Amino acid sequence: MLLIITVIVVIYYMLQGMLKASSTAWLRNTKHWALVAAVVLFVVLLLTGRLNAVLAVTVAGIATVLRFLPLLLRYAPVLQKLWPKFFSQQESQHTGQTSSKAMSIAEAYDVLGLKADASQQDILQAHRRLIQKIHPDRGGSDYLAAKINLAKKTLLKK
């Protein structure tokens, strides 16, 4: 009962402050009230004995993110190179345009992450390494796999 009365009083003062405030003051007040609400929630959880469960879920979530962070960062350079190309292809599909032009040799080297003096063996190894990471059967994108395959095909035909 005390909790319900407290919530009603907090909402009343919050609404009263919002009606009187300008937009910048309203934003500052909103941040202030969010902090007050977080502290009240923390105290309520502490008093009711439910804080342990919330902290356990929070810590487990942080641990999971930290565990998978190296995995995500390992793919970051590859995805960063291919990201703009993926979105430019999607935009052209939405506008009804198709990109039927062949891939340039420089672009193919860039997609595979190789230098211009790479050997045929280097091209095959880079293709195999990237396609294992980006393959659609492993949750990757069809578009990115097609770009990697086209890059290999372009460089091996030269």
Side-chain angles (χ1 to χ4, degrees):
M1 186 67 169
L2 181 64
L3 179 63
I4 294 172
I5 293 171
T6 306
V7 169
I8 291 172
V9 169
V10 167
I11 291 174
Y12 172 75
Y13 281 114
M14 196 166 107
L15 289 175
Q16 204 175 35
M18 286 173 36
L19 292 174
K20 295 177 184 176
S22 66
S23 61
T24 56
W26 182 83
L27 181 62
R28 186 177 61 245
N29 288 339
T30 304
K31 289 179 184 178
H32 172 74
W33 285 110
L35 180 62
V36 168
V39 170
V40 168
L41 180 65
F42 178 80
V43 169
V44 168
L45 290 173
L46 181 66
L47 294 176
T48 59
R50 292 188 175 98
L51 186 61
N52 291 340
V54 172
L55 289 178
V57 170
T58 304
V59 169
I62 291 170
T64 302
V65 167
L66 291 176
R67 180 175 175 93
F68 287 108
L69 193 60
L71 179 69
L72 295 172
L73 292 177
R74 184 172 32 167
Y75 296 122
V78 173
L79 296 175
Q80 186 177 10
K81 287 180 184 178
L82 297 176
W83 192 266
K85 296 172 186 169
F86 175 72
F87 279 109
S88 66
Q89 176 69 21
Q90 278 189 342
E91 289 171 4
S92 68
Q93 287 176 353
H94 290 301
T95 59
Q97 301 170 352
T98 56
S99 177
S100 60
K101 66 176 184 174
M103 182 180 287
S104 70
I105 292 177
E107 183 182 5
Y109 279 120
D110 188 42
V111 167
L112 293 177
L114 297 172
K115 295 182 180 180
D117 60 348
S119 68
Q120 181 176 353
Q121 185 66 24
D122 293 336
I123 294 167
L124 292 173
Q125 286 176 348
H127 173 267
R128 186 175 299 117
R129 183 185 60 212
L130 289 173
I131 206 68
Q132 286 176 350
K133 293 178 185 177
I134 308 294
H135 198 275
D137 289 346
R138 295 186 178 203
S141 164
D142 290 332
Y143 173 74
L144 296 178
K147 277 292 196 184
I148 293 168
N149 288 332
L150 181 60
K152 179 185 91 166
K153 188 185 218 183
T154 301
L155 292 177
L156 293 180
K157 278 188 177 180
K158 64 174 183 174

